[in-house]
Amino acid sequence: MAYASPDDMVFGRSKKPLSYGHGIKVGAGKVIPEINYAPRPGTEENVKRLEKEYTQYITKDAISRAVTLGFPDLQLETEWISLMGVDLGLSASIVQSQKECVENMHRAFGINLAVRHTIPDLRLFEENVRSDENRKSDLGLHLIESAEVACENGADILSIESIGGKEITDYAITHGDIIAYLFGSGYLGSLDVLHLWEQLVDICRRHGTVPGGDTNCASANMAMFMAGGFLDNDVQKTFSAVARCISAARTLTAIEAGATGPGKDCGYENIIVKAITGIPISQEGKSSQCAHCDLVGNLMAQCCDLWSNESVAYHPEFGGSSVQCWTGLIGYECSLMNTALVTDKAKTLRDLYMISDRGRSPESYILAYDNAWRIGKAIVNADNNPYDKAKAAALEGTKILREGYERKELGLTQKQFQILNRIFRELESLPDEEDLFLEMCLRRYQSAVPQFRPDNYGL
């Protein structure tokens, strides 16, 4: 564990701070705003209009608002739309133009700046995604080539929200099958992340780009959003909470392959990864209401090193463009955290963030930094294979939730508690041996999920 005690963790400080871009220092004693955005719907229909949208409008608007409000740092995140993962000439032009704009505004105003590029994972897992022949086809969608284009044209950080294992986790979430989720996310997902990031880290190193890492947005966030708030019941919240524990082992795999962070904002499991590795992390919460709502809005700020808004579509607001308004929102939150850091009140503010949401949902309970540290410890103590690490995280998560319920710190409906106990029994009944688990899952899910192909995972 990077931290001997969960109390050692706080926002703005990490064991492995990073420096990159134009003066950006993450995890080195302050929290930095990271603005996330998307072009207006329909903009992609015209290539030149799309390039102008990213560079002349979005990038300039965000940086100018940060300068106007006196924020010393700003990180931008360009999440590539699907078209950019196919038209790599367009992507190269956008990355270059955005880099030039950032350099010019850094020189003009002295603000510290960097850009994270998050490339899309458009692989179709019903096909052979590891085939070179397939990767070069239109359906291969150039994932590795996208990374090359991003890095060689000026990306400061490379990230991805990979989708390996999603064909199984979609089945798992809709069927409430925690074993399927453990197989899809914790096992297959980890194998795929390792396969990807061994290549992506090499590309980043050749071009001097920071290998930011992966998230389990495609599966863990899907479970969380379907579990929803107090009016929702499509997925039980105890299921989504245990799914989040499993996702931490998957996201950790990118770091084990050489990624350094900063972890990407939509990886709610990043707090567990930070507890293990000490890497800096980006997080989102209450400032991501433009993209979605969740029950962890304040809590996610507890140990962040960058604070993000998730993704906002570019459009006008009364206060300016959407990216200008949300840059102000996240920037002021960072200013509060940074004031707490310099006045020695950081742990007080951290605990206020955490306590305000701690009992709001099972997922917020297991993501509270003290419980997140425990899940990290369980992963570290497990055998060094994806099955044991993911299972250990899941079992520790169920124990934490049961303890919270018994201590009356966490309220659960009767159905949520029943699901939690069922999950615990199913996890406890799993074999100790990785080979037996794999054999069982191949037998069970190859027929249940027709689009699942073991050869996509080297099996």
Side-chain angles (χ1 to χ4, degrees):
M1 297 293 286
Y3 297 89
S5 163
D7 190 54
D8 295 336
M9 300 171 66
V10 72
F11 50 75
R13 295 179 184 145
S14 65
K15 292 282 188 177
K16 298 177 181 177
L18 296 167
S19 298
Y20 51 81
H22 298 282
I24 292 291
K25 297 180 179 179
V26 176
K30 62 181 175 180
V31 183
I32 292 173
E34 182 173 28
I35 184 69
N36 193 327
Y37 38 76
R40 284 168 286 192
T43 310
E44 74 282 356
E45 295 173 5
N46 184 296
V47 170
K48 290 198 175 296
R49 183 182 172 195
L50 180 64
E51 182 180 337
K52 189 174 182 180
E53 183 97 341
Y54 272 117
T55 57
Q56 298 302 310
Y57 296 150
I58 291 173
T59 302
K60 284 188 175 179
D61 276 8
I63 298 173
S64 63
R65 181 55 61 93
V67 173
T68 297
L69 296 176
F71 300 148
D73 308 275
L74 180 66
Q75 182 161 300
L76 297 95
E77 180 181 7
T78 299
E79 292 186 335
W80 290 19
I81 62 173
S82 298
L83 174 63
M84 293 173 66
V86 179
D87 188 342
L88 298 182
L90 168 65
S91 304
S93 180
I94 290 173
V95 177
Q96 290 171 354
S97 298
Q98 194 170 30
K99 181 177 178 62
E100 182 180 350
C101 181
V102 164
E103 289 174 341
N104 290 338
M105 297 192 81
H106 169 71
R107 282 195 298 266
F109 302 110
I111 182 173
N112 301 319
L113 297 167
V115 184
R116 183 201 300 265
H117 283 272
T118 300
I119 58 174
D121 186 353
L122 303 174
R123 293 173 295 168
L124 300 175
F125 274 79
E126 61 268 29
E127 301 179 4
N128 185 347
V129 300
R130 292 199 180 190
S131 163
D132 287 340
E133 183 178 328
N134 173 265
R135 197 179 72 199
K136 292 174 183 174
S137 73
D138 289 340
L139 294 178
L141 298 169
H142 315 297
L143 190 153
I144 300 301
E145 290 87 343
S146 294
E148 289 276 6
V149 166
C151 294
E152 69 185 6
N153 286 284
D156 295 306
I157 308 167
L158 181 75
S159 291
I160 189 172
E161 300 171 14
S162 68
I163 62 171
K166 183 171 168 58
E167 68 275 28
I168 298 292
T169 59
D170 283 354
Y171 170 90
I173 293 167
T174 55
H175 288 77
D177 186 341
I178 199 64
I179 306 304
Y181 193 91
L182 178 65
F183 180 54
S185 180
Y187 193 76
L188 299 178
S190 294
L191 294 178
D192 185 61
V193 168
L194 180 63
H195 173 71
L196 277 182
W197 277 95
E198 287 177 340
Q199 300 172 77
L200 297 180
V201 167
D202 178 65
I203 293 169
C204 287
R205 287 174 177 164
R206 283 193 280 107
H207 295 288
T209 301
V210 176
D214 218 307
T215 80
N216 200 17
C217 183
S219 297
N221 287 5
M222 177 183 173
M224 182 176 75
F225 299 152
M226 288 185 68
F230 289 98
L231 292 177
D232 303 289
N233 200 36
D234 290 333
V235 170
Q236 291 302 315
K237 293 173 180 58
T238 41
F239 180 94
S240 70
V242 177
R244 180 68 66 186
C245 299
I246 293 168
S247 75
R250 180 189 191 276
T251 298
L252 176 66
T253 304
I255 312 303
E256 294 171 331
T260 62
K264 187 171 147 46
D265 57 336
C266 60
Y268 286 68
E269 65 275 6
N270 278 340
I271 179 63
I272 302 170
V273 176
K274 181 175 182 176
I276 297 169
T277 66
I279 66 163
I281 58 172
S282 184
Q283 297 278 238
E284 64 187 46
K286 57 186 174 182
S287 298
S288 62
Q289 295 294 306
C290 54
H292 56 75
C293 70
D294 54 52
L295 298 176
V296 289
N298 285 319
L299 182 140
M300 297 311 298
Q302 60 189 345
C303 297
C304 69
D305 300 291
L306 296 120
W307 183 241
S308 178
N309 62 301
E310 231 307 336
S311 187
V312 62
Y314 187 73
H315 65 268
E317 299 275 10
F318 287 145
S321 70
S322 55
V323 293
Q324 289 178 315
C325 295
W326 289 89
T327 295
L329 188 71
I330 60 176
Y332 273 117
E333 193 72 34
C334 292
S335 180
L336 173 64
M337 288 186 261
N338 292 335
T339 301
L341 282 163
V342 299
T343 57
D344 201 27
K345 296 291 190 295
K347 288 187 177 181
T348 299
L349 181 57
R350 173 200 66 187
D351 290 348
L352 292 173
Y353 280 139
M354 183 271 288
I355 294 168
S356 68
D357 290 334
R358 182 183 181 89
R360 195 178 299 275
S361 75
E363 196 142 359
S364 57
Y365 194 76
I366 60 104
L367 290 174
Y369 68 86
D370 56 328
N371 290 331
W373 187 92
R374 280 183 56 183
I375 295 165
K377 185 71 170 175
I379 293 172
V380 168
N381 288 341
D383 288 343
N384 191 28
N385 66 70
Y387 168 55
D388 282 305
K389 289 188 287 189
K391 183 174 73 167
L395 280 168
E396 188 67 16
T398 60
K399 292 173 185 176
I400 289 169
L401 292 173
R402 293 171 86 179
E403 290 168 10
Y405 178 74
E406 290 166 2
R407 290 197 295 260
K408 302 189 184 304
E409 290 182 1
L410 175 66
L412 298 175
T413 66
Q414 185 177 11
K415 181 69 171 177
Q416 290 166 356
F417 189 61
Q418 288 173 349
I419 293 296
L420 179 63
N421 285 333
R422 190 191 77 193
I423 287 172
F424 185 76
R425 290 193 301 271
E426 291 177 348
L427 292 171
E428 284 272 273
S429 69
L430 288 173
D432 293 331
E433 296 81 6
E434 178 185 359
D435 290 346
L436 292 179
F437 173 75
L438 175 59
E439 181 183 335
M440 178 191 77
C441 289
L442 289 175
R443 186 172 60 250
R444 184 179 298 181
Y445 299 115
Q446 272 189 283
S447 58
V449 185
Q451 64 270 40
F452 168 52
R453 293 185 53 156
D455 55 350
N456 281 330
Y457 305 94
L459 300 176

